[in-house]
Amino acid sequence: MIAIPSIPGFLTEPNGPIGKPVSRVDGRKKVTGNAHYAAEFTLPDLAHGCIVSSAIARGRITRIDTAAALALPGVIHVFTHENRPSLAWFDRKWKDDDAPKGAPFRPLYDAEIHHALQPVALVVADSFELARYAARLVHIEYEAAPHQTDLRANRANSFTPGKDKGGFQPPPKPRGDPEQAFLASPVRVDAEFTQAAEYHNPMEMHATTVLHHDDGTLTVHDKTQGVQNCHTYICNVFGLAKSAVRVMSPFVGGAFGSGLRPQHQLFMAMLAATQLKRSIRVELSRPQMFSFGHRPETIQRVALGADRDGTLRALIHEAVQESSRNENYVEIVVNWSGQQYACDNVRLDYTLSRLDVHTPLDQRAPGAATGVPALEIAMDELACKLGMDPLDLRLKNYAETDPNTGNPFSSKELRACFRHGAERFGWAKRSPAPRSMRDGRELIGWGMAAGVWDAMQGQAAAKAVLGVDGKLVVSSATADIGTGTYTVMTQIAADVLGLPIEEVTFCLGDSSLPAAPVEGGSWTVSTVGSAVKAVCDRVRSQLIALAGKLENSPLKGVAEEDMVFADSHLIVRNDRSRRLSITEVMRGSGTLSIEEEARALPYLLARARHTFATHSAVFVEVRVDEDLGTVRVARVVSAIAAGRIINPKTARSQIQGAVVWGIGMGLEEEAFTDHRLGRVMNHDYAEYHVPVNADVPEIDVLFVEEHDDMVNALGAKGVGEIGIVGVPAAIANAIHHATGVRVRDFPITLDKVLAGLR
Amino acid sequence: MRSFTYSRAGSAAEAVGRAAAGTAFVAGGTNLLDLMKADVLRPEGLVDISRLPLDRIEETAEGGLRLGALARNADTAYDERVQTRYPMLSKAILAGASAQLRNMATNGGNLLQRTRCYYFYDTATPCNKRQPGSGCGAIGGVNRIHAILGASDQCIAVHPSDLCVALAALEAVVRVTGPDGERSIPFAELHRLPGDRPEIDTVLRPGDLVTAIDLPARGFAEHSTYLKIRDRASYAFALVSVAAGLEMDGDTVRDARLALGGVAHKPWRDPEAEAALIGKPATPDRFRAAARVLLRDAKGHEHNSFKIELAERAIVRALTEAAERKGASRP
Ligand SMILES: Cc1cc2nc3c(=O)[nH]c(=O)nc-3n(C[C@H](O)[C@H](O)[C@H](O)COP(=O)(O)OP(=O)(O)OC[C@H]3O[C@@H](n4cnc5c(N)ncnc54)[C@H](O)[C@@H]3O)c2cc1C
Ligand code: SF4
């Protein structure tokens, strides 16, 4: 065991706010319209920009005629590659924290077109309406070049990427003799799985408002998951002093990964603001939300070999994904398969195929939401072949330690997820044969799947200021993309210092605050929460020191570990009558405020020797109309093991939202590309389908107990992504159980079910 | 969106009078404004008809109902008389769009809404309907939502309305006033097939204003249904929809109406398919036989061939439900 720093004071008070279903501290602002988003900031002379998108997928611009647009009174300028100023030269300057290996896309760089909907011009005008109108008048001629956008046609041209992106691990080396073991296995499954490209499509479209102040400094309101990431990017690209720009993003209307990298509307708004010395807003249209980053289309093969008792003998998982020509976007797709089940003969392969598309981008549980469902459907197929309950098959091959590394898990309560989830769902009552449960014309199917996601932690700093009035302000440059960061950080700070929630304010989304990484990967509670705890611990120590020095202090000589903080008081643990309020301590010592800054790092030693992961078990009931093939998800139970749950209310919302998305992945979401045009055709909310209320049944979320004193000082792993991972597979497995039809091609639209029902 | 002039019509006659070439009527605006924002439609002027007093639902002398062209879809669907006498119509409306859209959308606008073909909406792609002669993007392209009946080699778009499918089955009559005076158009004749003029959706002429939709007395209230099959449970256009109305004599079909949505450039009816039902027992086999008659010329494309079988199954299901159903089927 690794020695873990002790946790002073934390969670010592049973009535503290940690673990309580605290309502969102920003909820009132949001429902009353007082939360302002990037496109809602304004100044009196605000100009408006409208982006023109490329009509072709590859080739070059031969002519741009902006005369008609510029002739309109009120049109200020049209930026194109022909008149842009010279900007940063080296690729390095264009990189951001989430950039994969390669040369980042540079908007308006030259005449070359690399992908459909590439931004090719920015029209700036006095009003939004005028800018949009003028954008229609920009006449562009192209010379098209042949393009490739079809992964199926290009899968053979794939290559094995390296460690091409932060957080990415190439698959481990093969172990055992998987091919031989597979052939020698008495029971085998070998199948191909496909997954359509998906677009993030948060409700709030990407937007940037740059406010140009009289002194030449800029305030940039951007839709982003990382204000400092954007800050660095624009300073590098536009050659600005760090102090001349401040990036703000206090509220984000959903992002799901789409805000991890600076997007081109930020570039465009900055270009116009710096060139025209004017405030400007640029907002993408819904179709333009299909002009950057997406969950890449993927083709996979999973082959499983097992003994007749269900023992896994061989596991082969191969995946090929699309990336752009300019960058190697990579995500961990297959590695989970080597981690989830104990198996001695494993081969995992991951390759990329370059297409004429924009670079894909992390989307909720990137890689896991694609790879794990393929594995989990294959496991279901194997269970069917073995005549075994799918849950029993998973228990039979349960990985006690991480088979990829041989390391123990810091904690892993997946077994409890299986048990509690199955109990809540009533899994024991399942009749095993497909097509054996029905209700009138509806076939009923019960399916399950397991899920896994990394419990990551980065580095972050936080600042705390405690006033003599007992009010605490804590800040860090993280984001709240709707996940509940404000609330959870407030709870952590309030807990450490024994303050009521109302006395604590947490600030985020401002690049001038202490450093924090992009909000993503489910690591914000772990990363920023640890920093918040660390900085509050310092304030706490200061208070204890001050209290000990006071004249006639009832707390004199009390050791730090014997002190608790509650109700804005410092209290002796074993004699609660000995107490002083925070205000008394500060007044008494003549302290107006206590200011601290702290930085938290992951426990690197523990991390080197353990695997850190969240787990889930998902149980789904579907109803399939046996004549029409329509599928309805009737019930979902999701059991989650994610360490300590800081706020069961916001955590439940995360899981429920992820399950809804899992339903979308499973049944609906799909970007249709016309490969002749190299263009996504269903680029709006009417035809790009995500679940609507009528598609979403009751979602029952369980958090199983999981103690983890290695993951971080909070014992919490993060719940932003684990909720989606198992869902598509559980749905596919339930459809098979209902109908006997096995669909391995997501989304499972009714035509695919119908084809099997014939 | 491009600049346009705007004026509000005080009367139907004034609206017709203002309807010069290049202008468009705007009612609820839920389709027209979207298409203007997408730069697909570029009217130079809008004549706002939304406040004309054409929003009533009234009895007709023939025992039917007159639905005002400007009555909202929601008000029509929830009208007591529509619900009890024409339940399939109410059901069809409520199967469409969303509550918010139905509150805005008018009956006249619903009839004249344009196709949802992806290419029609994307001005960077070829589309004969949007830009005659530019080619049809959907043929050989992405065509999951396209036609299996009555299409041409110029256009395979479908008419997206649910309301219209029920109106076709009910044999409604569209009342129009235009530069040449008033006229009535049997519903089956309102929409046209694409042929070699896919840019023309209907037989209406420039300046024609729809004033009302007349429902005949027969509403098939006892044995009817509207079945809509789509990619999600709500807020999606029909892949296939079926409006079915039967008159039953015991177990025998005395009269039948059958219209399909999501399969053609107009709500699809086929007298031969209906004839195949009349006088026959109401059994799944008979229904299937009628479905096969209706679909005999159906032709699929790369992504929509499934619609042929789906339509057959949907017809059988809808007719079975209609035959079983006794009394008004409230949505
Ligand atoms: C996201 C979305 C989903 C939808 N889903 C469905 C669905 O599932 N099923 C369905 O049936 N519909 C659906 N609709 C379409 C909706 O029903 C139509 O947009 C609506 O009925 C149009 O009515 P409106 O009054 O808003 O028409 P407008 O947009 O005002 O007009 C539409 C057209 O009709 C013309 N027009 C309008 N009134 C008259 C008149 N009295 N005389 C002559 N011309 C006239 C206009 O000039 C214009 O060309 C959906 C729409 C959207 C945006
Ligand atoms: S089907 Fe009709 S509307 Fe669609 S692209 Fe072809 S011509 Fe245009």
Side-chain angles (χ1 to χ4, degrees):
Chain A
M1 284 291 291
I2 310 287
I4 298 302
S6 69
I7 306 179
F10 193 64
L11 269 182
T12 50
E13 283 297 293
N15 291 325
I18 297 277
K20 297 284 179 330
V22 176
S23 291
R24 283 168 196 267
V25 297
D26 51 335
R28 193 187 171 80
K29 271 193 186 161
K30 283 192 167 165
V31 298
T32 55
N34 286 308
H36 297 295
Y37 295 82
E40 296 179 324
F41 293 86
T42 193
L43 276 182
D45 65 337
L46 188 76
H48 297 260
C50 184
I51 293 173
V52 181
S53 306
S54 165
I56 63 167
R58 187 157 169 247
R60 51 184 294 118
I61 297 170
T62 52
R63 193 168 89 91
I64 298 192
D65 183 351
T66 58
L70 287 169
L72 294 174
V75 172
I76 301 161
H77 194 68
V78 181
F79 289 95
T80 69
H81 68 277
E82 291 173 350
N83 64 12
R84 68 159 174 87
S86 99
L87 296 166
W89 180 250
F90 295 106
D91 278 342
R92 171 169 56 79
K93 294 279 190 187
W94 294 78
K95 290 241 180 209
D96 66 276
D97 291 348
D98 195 38
K101 183 180 164 187
F105 170 66
R106 303 180 185 195
L108 307 189
Y109 183 66
D110 57 19
E112 296 296 316
I113 301 295
H114 306 280
H115 59 81
L117 295 179
Q118 176 177 319
V120 290
L122 177 75
V123 178
V124 183
D126 284 340
S127 74
F128 168 67
E129 291 76 9
L130 189 59
R132 190 168 54 169
Y133 174 33
R136 299 295 188 194
L137 302 183
V138 175
H139 177 78
I140 303 179
E141 287 167 22
Y142 302 92
E143 187 182 288
H147 61 261
Q148 296 291 336
T149 52
D150 188 351
L151 180 63
R152 286 172 213 233
N154 288 278
R155 62 192 292 188
N157 298 328
S158 70
F159 66 96
T160 303
K163 207 173 171 321
D164 289 348
K165 184 168 177 292
F168 176 74
Q169 282 298 336
K173 297 243 163 320
R175 53 181 185 260
D177 186 347
E179 317 297 331
Q180 193 50 41
F182 177 69
L183 292 175
S185 297
V187 186
R188 291 191 296 243
V189 168
D190 189 350
E192 183 165 291
F193 300 84
T194 48
Q195 155 78 59
E198 294 176 357
Y199 282 77
H200 301 72
N201 270 315
M203 281 289 275
E204 180 202 18
M205 292 166 289
H206 278 242
T208 305
T209 307
V210 181
L211 303 182
H212 193 279
H213 305 294
D214 293 340
D215 62 358
T217 62
L218 304 173
T219 306
V220 180
H221 294 277
D222 187 42
K223 179 200 177 88
T224 175
Q225 292 171 250
V227 279
Q228 290 175 330
N229 190 29
C230 290
H231 184 252
T232 309
Y233 173 84
I234 55 184
C235 289
N236 283 343
V237 167
F238 293 95
L240 299 171
K242 297 241 159 200
S243 57
V245 199
R246 186 171 169 197
V247 181
M248 308 281 290
S249 189
F251 293 100
V252 178
F256 314 113
S258 66
L260 286 173
R261 302 188 66 183
Q263 293 305 346
H264 57 254
Q265 92 288 343
L266 170 65
F267 171 90
M268 294 291 197
M270 282 299 299
L271 177 70
T274 50
Q275 291 298 301
L276 303 173
K277 313 254 177 283
R278 212 180 143 158
S279 300
I280 182 165
R281 174 187 306 147
V282 179
E283 190 177 10
L284 299 188
S285 67
R286 182 58 63 188
Q288 287 172 338
M289 291 298 289
F290 290 76
S291 68
F292 65 91
H294 60 286
R295 192 193 289 285
E297 183 178 359
T298 310
I299 305 173
Q300 305 177 67
R301 174 191 171 219
V302 179
L304 301 176
D307 287 342
R308 296 206 183 280
D309 68 352
T311 307
L312 270 182
R313 286 294 170 218
L315 191 159
I316 298 168
H317 189 168
E318 303 160 351
V320 55
Q321 273 189 319
E322 51 169 335
S323 189
S324 61
R325 301 225 183 260
N326 57 311
E327 287 174 314
N328 292 359
Y329 173 81
V330 285
E331 54 188 33
I332 296 176
V333 176
V334 295
N335 305 14
W336 316 99
S337 294
Q339 179 179 320
Q340 273 295 68
Y341 299 108
C343 182
D344 294 332
N345 301 290
V346 177
R347 181 169 62 76
L348 307 171
D349 272 323
Y350 175 70
T351 59
L352 289 184
S353 179
R354 291 192 195 284
L355 299 177
D356 297 297
V357 296
H358 48 249
T359 306
L361 180 54
D362 308 81
Q363 185 177 106
R364 207 169 198 171
T370 303
V372 174
L375 171 71
E376 289 294 303
I377 296 174
M379 285 295 280
D380 197 69
E381 297 192 45
L382 185 62
C384 289
K385 282 203 172 168
L386 289 161
M388 210 171 163
D389 185 291
L391 180 50
D392 293 341
L393 178 65
R394 286 167 173 89
L395 290 169
K396 172 100 195 165
N397 295 288
Y398 195 83
E400 301 290 350
T401 55
D402 177 356
N404 276 349
T405 59
N407 285 338
F409 290 96
S410 66
S411 60
K412 178 180 176 182
E413 294 296 342
L414 177 57
R415 217 179 244 118
C417 294
F418 285 140
R419 188 170 63 246
H420 294 299
E423 227 162 70
R424 180 71 68 91
F425 187 81
W427 184 256
K429 293 202 273 304
R430 179 178 185 260
S431 101
R435 293 185 78 92
S436 61
M437 292 160 62
R438 70 159 62 230
D439 177 5
R441 285 167 174 146
E442 279 188 329
L443 297 167
I444 301 175
W446 289 5
M448 59 90 51
V452 57
W453 181 249
D454 280 347
M456 293 180 269
Q457 186 181 351
Q459 297 184 20
K463 180 177 172 181
V465 181
L466 179 66
V468 69
D469 53 0
K471 291 194 192 300
L472 176 71
V473 178
V474 185
S475 54
S476 178
T478 182
D480 188 335
I481 54 175
T483 45
T485 313
Y486 278 112
T487 312
V488 168
M489 297 306 151
T490 301
Q491 282 175 272
I492 294 169
D495 195 280
V496 174
L497 289 168
L499 295 169
I501 288 283
E502 305 72 48
E503 302 293 299
V504 180
T505 305
F506 186 74
C507 303
L508 52 69
D510 176 344
S511 60
S512 66
L513 297 176
V518 291
E519 177 171 54
S522 301
W523 72 357
T524 299
V525 167
S526 189
T527 304
V528 181
S530 295
V532 168
K533 178 174 155 29
V535 76
C536 292
D537 280 343
R538 290 205 179 166
V539 174
R540 187 186 150 99
S541 300
Q542 281 231 33
L543 281 170
I544 293 172
L546 291 174
K549 284 189 220 137
L550 289 185
E551 231 169 286
N552 303 324
S553 170
L555 307 179
K556 211 163 231 134
V558 181
E560 202 163 328
E561 54 273 23
D562 295 329
M563 200 87 87
V564 293
F565 280 59
D567 309 327
S568 305
H569 281 71
L570 291 71
I571 306 169
V572 177
R573 188 190 303 275
N574 297 322
D575 178 1
R576 298 184 75 98
S577 67
R578 288 171 63 192
R579 50 162 58 205
L580 280 176
S581 76
I582 287 177
T583 305
E584 284 168 333
V585 172
M586 291 183 68
R587 279 224 185 97
S589 60
T591 312
L592 277 182
S593 77
I594 299 176
E595 266 191 55
E596 285 289 349
E597 194 159 332
R599 198 175 173 76
L601 307 178
Y603 301 152
L604 292 174
L605 203 53
R607 287 207 166 245
R609 297 186 191 165
H610 294 83
T611 294
F612 294 80
T614 51
H615 293 92
S616 70
V618 188
F619 298 83
V620 167
E621 175 179 316
V622 298
R623 305 269 178 142
V624 182
D625 187 305
E626 70 171 322
D627 298 324
L628 306 174
T630 44
V631 178
R632 176 165 76 85
V633 176
R635 207 150 67 83
V636 179
V637 173
S638 175
I640 304 286
R644 173 176 289 136
I645 301 303
I646 307 279
N647 183 334
K649 191 171 185 175
T650 52
R652 173 165 284 111
S653 298
Q654 281 298 299
I655 302 301
Q656 286 184 330
V659 169
V660 171
W661 199 338
I663 293 173
M665 276 193 89
L667 300 177
E668 295 167 4
E669 277 199 59
E670 174 169 25
F672 296 122
T673 300
D674 183 327
H675 294 300
R676 301 166 314 169
L677 304 172
R679 193 173 179 91
V680 173
M681 292 311 305
N682 55 335
H683 45 49
D684 64 37
Y685 264 172
E687 298 300 336
Y688 182 92
H689 289 157
V690 299
V692 294
N693 278 315
D695 294 316
V696 179
E698 194 193 321
I699 300 168
D700 200 348
V701 179
L702 311 176
F703 293 106
V704 306
E705 285 227 358
E706 187 175 71
H707 296 284
D708 195 323
D709 49 12
M710 269 180 262
V711 64
N712 52 45
L714 308 165
K717 288 179 175 172
V719 292
E721 289 162 290
I722 181 63
I724 191 173
V725 178
V727 180
I731 292 173
N733 296 340
I735 290 172
H736 178 262
H737 182 236
T739 60
V741 180
R742 180 67 73 184
V743 184
R744 303 182 186 87
D745 180 18
F746 287 119
I748 306 178
T749 44
L750 64 90
D751 45 310
K752 297 173 191 170
V753 179
L754 201 61
L757 282 174
R758 257 183 281 197
Chain B
M1 195 180 267
R2 300 183 185 236
S3 296
F4 57 88
T5 61
Y6 170 89
S7 70
R8 187 179 291 158
S11 67
E14 199 186 316
V16 172
R18 291 222 192 123
T23 61
F25 297 132
V26 60
T30 60
N31 189 228
L32 181 65
L33 298 184
D34 276 6
L35 287 165
M36 287 169 67
K37 288 185 211 164
D39 208 28
V40 174
L41 297 181
R42 305 168 182 182
E44 282 152 24
L46 291 189
V47 178
D48 185 348
I49 57 169
S50 65
R51 300 186 197 198
L52 296 183
L54 297 171
D55 59 347
R56 281 184 286 273
I57 298 177
E58 299 162 324
E59 299 286 343
T60 64
E62 295 75 33
L65 276 185
R66 172 163 301 169
L67 311 176
L70 290 166
R72 306 280 164 175
N73 286 178
D75 292 332
T76 308
Y78 292 117
D79 184 279
E80 186 73 38
R81 295 159 294 178
V82 173
Q83 286 190 316
T84 48
R85 286 154 58 184
Y86 308 94
M88 77 160 88
L89 180 64
S90 176
K91 217 178 158 190
I93 296 173
L94 295 178
S98 64
Q100 293 89 334
L101 282 160
R102 295 190 299 262
N103 286 342
M104 280 304 286
T106 64
N107 293 335
N110 195 311
L111 304 192
L112 302 178
Q113 63 175 299
R114 309 300 303 272
T115 184
R116 308 302 294 203
C117 172
Y118 321 110
Y119 299 85
F120 181 66
Y121 265 81
D122 186 337
T123 55
T125 67
C127 169
N128 285 328
K129 187 183 279 298
R130 177 170 33 76
Q131 201 185 331
S134 63
C136 170
I139 296 175
V142 181
N143 45 41
R144 176 177 167 76
I145 57 176
H146 289 77
I148 52 171
L149 286 164
S152 74
D153 59 3
Q154 300 286 304
C155 178
I156 58 170
V158 301
H159 193 261
S161 167
D162 290 296
L163 169 75
C164 289
V165 183
L167 292 178
L170 290 167
E171 295 188 349
V173 173
V174 180
R175 297 177 64 91
V176 174
T177 176
D180 308 331
E182 304 206 355
R183 64 191 203 281
S184 296
I185 305 171
F187 204 82
E189 289 166 26
L190 176 69
H191 297 100
R192 48 183 302 285
L193 291 179
D196 54 9
R197 297 298 300 278
E199 70 277 18
I200 308 174
D201 286 357
T202 68
V203 299
L204 294 188
R205 295 186 290 260
D208 276 350
L209 177 77
V210 176
T211 54
I213 302 158
D214 283 357
L215 301 176
R218 284 170 73 198
F220 296 84
E222 306 223 311
H223 291 285
S224 66
T225 194
Y226 185 76
L227 174 66
K228 178 174 180 179
I229 301 163
R230 47 190 148 176
D231 274 326
R232 58 184 170 192
S234 172
Y235 200 43
F237 290 93
L239 291 168
V240 168
S241 70
V242 186
L246 298 174
E247 267 176 24
M248 301 292 294
D249 195 353
D251 288 337
T252 304
V253 175
R254 199 170 54 215
D255 197 3
R257 297 280 175 79
L258 185 60
L260 252 62
V263 296
H265 204 252
K266 61 188 286 188
W268 193 260
R269 268 188 77 189
D270 186 335
E272 285 184 46
E274 289 168 15
L277 292 166
I278 295 169
K280 305 281 165 38
T283 63
D285 285 346
R286 290 284 174 193
F287 296 158
R288 192 165 300 112
R292 290 196 174 147
V293 171
L294 189 144
L295 294 162
R296 62 192 178 281
D297 294 326
K299 176 174 170 297
H301 292 266
E302 186 182 353
H303 306 118
N304 74 346
S305 295
F306 72 94
K307 280 189 177 185
I308 301 174
E309 167 140 17
L310 183 63
E312 181 182 314
R313 289 168 176 246
I315 291 170
V316 175
R317 167 67 64 82
L319 288 170
T320 306
E321 266 181 26
E324 280 168 5
R325 186 155 289 159
K326 179 78 185 139
S329 67
R330 293 221 171 194

